[in-house]
Amino acid sequence: MGCRAARRLYKTLGRRGCFLAIAGVGKTCWGISFLVDPPNDRGLRLLTEVCNLRHWSWLWIVAGIVTFCSAFLPIGRDKIGFSVAIVPPTVWAIAYTAAVASGQYSRGGFVALWYLTSHCGVIAWASTVPEYSVPRAPRPARRGKAT
């Protein structure tokens, strides 16, 4: 029963939708973790000068919810999910880059690169993945006797 439901869900979502659903849940959970127990703000001073990390957590939560919901949209309309999904890691990468440039957090360069590659890069790549893969090449005709 569970496998049938999983297959139906996968068929409904497709490859791009599955990615958006997983990314949406991840972003929402990441945002909730900032809301429940905010970490120290090392390297995020650019953000915390505007408001505290509990407020910034809502950027992740809302982006995650929008990303998750866009997983159920038809192909072509799911672009909103990819566009919104890339915003929070970009903001964090900018904050960490600014921390490195100002000399506040030397490790921030590595964290910024991590956000840019494992988040922004993967999201940008996934947005270009076609929904359906190219079908396999047809098998060559079998040799037989001509009649």
Side-chain angles (χ1 to χ4, degrees):
M1 180 76 169
C3 290
R4 186 181 311 159
R7 280 193 297 272
R8 183 178 297 140
L9 181 63
Y10 180 75
K11 190 173 182 178
T12 301
L13 293 178
R15 295 182 342 175
R16 293 166 60 94
C18 284
F19 175 83
L20 287 170
I22 292 167
V25 169
K27 288 184 184 317
T28 303
C29 290
W30 187 248
I32 291 171
S33 76
F34 278 102
L35 190 63
V36 172
D37 187 20
N40 66 27
D41 61 350
R42 285 203 64 193
L44 296 173
R45 183 163 294 157
L46 182 68
L47 301 179
T48 56
E49 287 177 354
V50 176
C51 56
N52 66 29
L53 288 179
R54 286 183 190 260
H55 292 104
W56 280 107
S57 70
W58 287 102
L59 175 67
W60 287 92
I61 294 168
V62 170
I65 291 169
V66 170
T67 301
F68 180 81
C69 291
S70 68
F72 297 93
L73 296 175
I75 302 165
R77 294 185 184 216
D78 62 355
K79 290 178 184 176
I80 184 80
F82 290 105
S83 300
V84 170
I86 210 164
V87 171
T90 303
V91 170
W92 254 245
I94 290 169
Y96 281 115
T97 302
V100 170
S102 67
Q104 295 172 355
Y105 190 52
S106 61
R107 184 174 170 252
F110 299 105
V111 180
L113 284 173
W114 178 72
Y115 273 113
L116 290 173
T117 56
S118 68
H119 290 277
C120 298
V122 171
I123 293 166
W125 167 80
S127 69
T128 64
V129 171
E131 183 57 42
Y132 302 103
S133 60
V134 178
R136 284 188 273 175
R139 291 183 6 194
R142 295 189 310 175
R143 291 187 177 185
K145 295 182 183 178
T147 55

